């Protein structure tokens, strides 16, 4: 090969090496910038929404529980336990209707599910199972002296509430399910936005995204996502701040939320045939145009499966009915509590 060709190839090699080095450097700089932005955002979110309520010790760590109404040992109309859905925390149902129930004489306990709010992600990846979360929450309720309670679950929390009623019926005096996810839905497993991460490459990319871009992008678009969840009703102006929604953007919570969503379909395939075993008084409330969890697939099917269950379908109401149809939710809780007292007598 002539000398000038060898020199040309060496120059091309040097240029390509330099380009590769610059590319790697730019990617590293972007990752570092994203990681720094995520750290800053996470720090500010945690400073704005510090721990509230009580941290209850359970096997392997703690669960955070918000409390309202009469304290333990004081006269009350009974205990109500609130279980939130995906992307939320215990303040979501507490703000929507929990304090209102407390004002009517109920002892109200709103639990941050494992990995959400200020609860530890107990049991690692296994905590994505509603059955595991039900066991841990049951342990916390025992420590709080809650006794048999009316358990209220919204959306993903509906699967959790049903699991608690099936596996620990002695803890459940009644069951109220709001826009609940209860059955495998048409179309198969949860959509690809969650399922792709199971591959080794996907897991690495997801871990990286959670610590670099998820919080900055999530903070920018969190209001738009919430507007979609509230459709066709409007997003309440104080919802994001009052319900402490930005807590879900922290890396560990972001990943926990994705794990919970990804595992739900397979879990419901196993759990849903057991619903006729539920013996607690049960009421279901759902909107007829819920765009997130289809009422006919979930709430209506559950009402047919559980002996004595009642179903209230709210016309023109979407997924966030505990905010947009609070009177109906409170009425359902009071109705189940009254049924439980009548059966006990």
């Amino acid at each position: 090969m002539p000398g000038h060709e060898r020199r040309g190839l060496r120059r091309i090699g040097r240029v390509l090496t330099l380009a590769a080095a610059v590319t790697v450097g730019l990617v590293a700089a972007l990752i570092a910038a994203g990681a720094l932005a995520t750290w800053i955002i996470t720090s500010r979110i945690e400073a704005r929404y510090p721990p509230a309520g009580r941290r209850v010790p359970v096997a392997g760590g703690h669960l955070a529980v918000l409390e309202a109404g009469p304290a333990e040992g004081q006269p009350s109309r009974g205990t109500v336990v609130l279980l939130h859905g995906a992307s939320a925390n215990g303040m979501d149902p507490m703000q929507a209707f929990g304090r209102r129930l407390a004002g009517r004489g109920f002892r109200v306990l709103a639990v941050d599910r494992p990995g959400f709010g200020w609860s530890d992600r107990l049991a690692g990846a296994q905590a994505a199972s509603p059955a595991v979360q039900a066991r841990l929450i049951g342990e916390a309720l025992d420590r709080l002296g809650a006794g048999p309670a009316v358990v209220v679950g919204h959306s993903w929390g509906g699967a959790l509430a049903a699991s608690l009623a099936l596996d620990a019926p002695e803890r459940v005096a009644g069951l109220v399910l709001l826009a609940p996810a209860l059955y495998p839905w048409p179309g198969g497993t949860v959509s690809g936005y969650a399922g792709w991460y199971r591959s080794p490459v996907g897991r690495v990319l997801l871990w990286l995204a959670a610590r670099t871009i998820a919080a900055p992008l999530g903070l920018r678009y969190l209001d738009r996502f919430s507007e979609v969840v509230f459709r066709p009703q409007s997003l309440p102006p104080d919802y994001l701040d009052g319900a402490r929604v930005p807590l879900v953007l922290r890396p560990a919570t972001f990943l926990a939320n994705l794990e919970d969503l990804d595992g739900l379909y397979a879990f419901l395939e196993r759990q849903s045939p057991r619903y006729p075993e539920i013996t607690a008084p049960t009421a279901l409330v759902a909107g007829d145009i819920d765009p997130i969890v289809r009422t006919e697939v979930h709430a209506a099917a559950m009402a047919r499966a559980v002996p004595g269950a009642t179903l209230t379908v709210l016309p023109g109401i979407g997924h966030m009915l505990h905010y947009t149809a609070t009177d109906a939710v409170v009425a359902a809780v009071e109705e189940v509590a009254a049924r439980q007292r009548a059966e006990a007598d």
Side-chain angles (χ1 to χ4, degrees):
M1 179 182 294
H4 69 279
E5 291 186 5
R6 289 196 298 270
R7 288 191 297 274
L9 290 174
R10 284 196 294 270
R11 283 196 295 272
I12 292 172
R14 287 194 293 271
V15 170
L16 292 175
T17 300
L18 178 61
V22 170
T23 300
V24 171
L26 287 174
V27 170
L30 289 173
I31 290 174
L36 178 61
T38 297
W39 180 82
I40 292 171
I41 290 170
T42 298
S43 298
R44 289 179 176 177
I45 287 173
E46 292 187 339
R48 183 170 182 81
Y49 308 110
R54 193 190 308 197
R55 280 177 58 81
V56 181
V58 296
H62 294 78
L63 293 181
V65 181
L66 301 171
E67 301 177 79
E72 177 185 354
Q74 295 180 353
S76 72
R77 296 179 63 188
T79 300
V80 179
V81 175
L82 310 182
L83 303 175
H84 64 84
S87 307
N89 60 80
M91 190 62 78
D92 175 89
M94 180 63 84
Q95 173 177 261
F97 63 97
R99 293 193 180 97
R100 184 166 164 183
L101 289 172
R104 297 189 176 208
F106 290 97
R107 182 190 181 197
V108 180
L109 305 173
V111 182
D112 286 347
R113 296 195 287 104
F116 294 79
W118 287 98
S119 287
D120 300 328
R121 184 64 166 179
L122 303 165
Q126 292 182 353
S129 166
V132 172
Q133 295 193 21
R135 173 175 56 78
L136 294 166
I137 289 170
E139 184 179 345
L141 295 178
D142 287 347
R143 287 188 173 272
L144 289 168
V150 174
V151 178
V152 185
H154 173 247
S155 194
W156 197 100
L160 170 58
S163 182
L164 193 62
L166 286 165
D167 295 339
E170 72 281 0
R171 293 192 175 105
V172 180
L175 201 57
V176 179
L177 305 177
L178 311 175
L182 295 166
Y183 286 86
W185 51 92
T189 59
V190 74
S191 57
Y193 84 89
W196 67 269
Y197 90 97
R198 296 190 190 96
S199 69
V201 173
R203 288 182 180 275
V204 171
L205 292 176
L206 183 59
W207 184 93
L208 191 62
R211 288 162 176 79
T212 55
I213 63 172
L217 288 177
L219 196 62
R220 180 176 179 83
Y221 294 105
L222 196 56
D223 56 343
R224 298 183 189 180
F225 169 78
S226 298
E227 287 172 356
V228 170
V229 176
F230 267 86
R231 287 177 184 170
Q233 281 70 49
S234 299
L235 176 69
D238 60 344
Y239 171 71
L240 294 179
D241 196 50
R244 299 180 153 210
V245 178
L247 284 169
V248 76
L249 300 177
R250 297 171 299 170
T253 306
F254 176 85
L255 291 172
N257 194 43
L258 199 55
E259 288 177 346
D260 284 6
L261 289 169
D262 186 45
L264 183 60
Y265 184 93
F267 177 82
L268 292 176
E269 285 185 310
R270 299 188 299 272
Q271 175 169 276
S272 54
R274 300 178 58 200
Y275 292 150
E277 302 172 19
I278 293 176
T279 58
T282 299
L284 299 104
V285 187
D288 68 340
I289 51 175
D290 186 339
I292 308 299
V293 179
R294 290 173 54 191
T295 296
E296 183 58 34
V297 172
H298 299 274
M302 175 70 139
R304 292 190 292 268
V306 176
T310 63
L311 171 64
T312 301
V313 179
L314 305 172
I317 297 297
H319 190 60
M320 298 296 281
L321 70 167
H322 52 311
Y323 280 86
T324 60
T326 308
D327 288 347
V329 170
V330 170
V333 173
E334 294 195 312
E335 181 259 330
V336 166
R339 285 171 57 191
Q340 188 276 329
R341 288 193 298 270
E343 291 180 8
D345 293 340

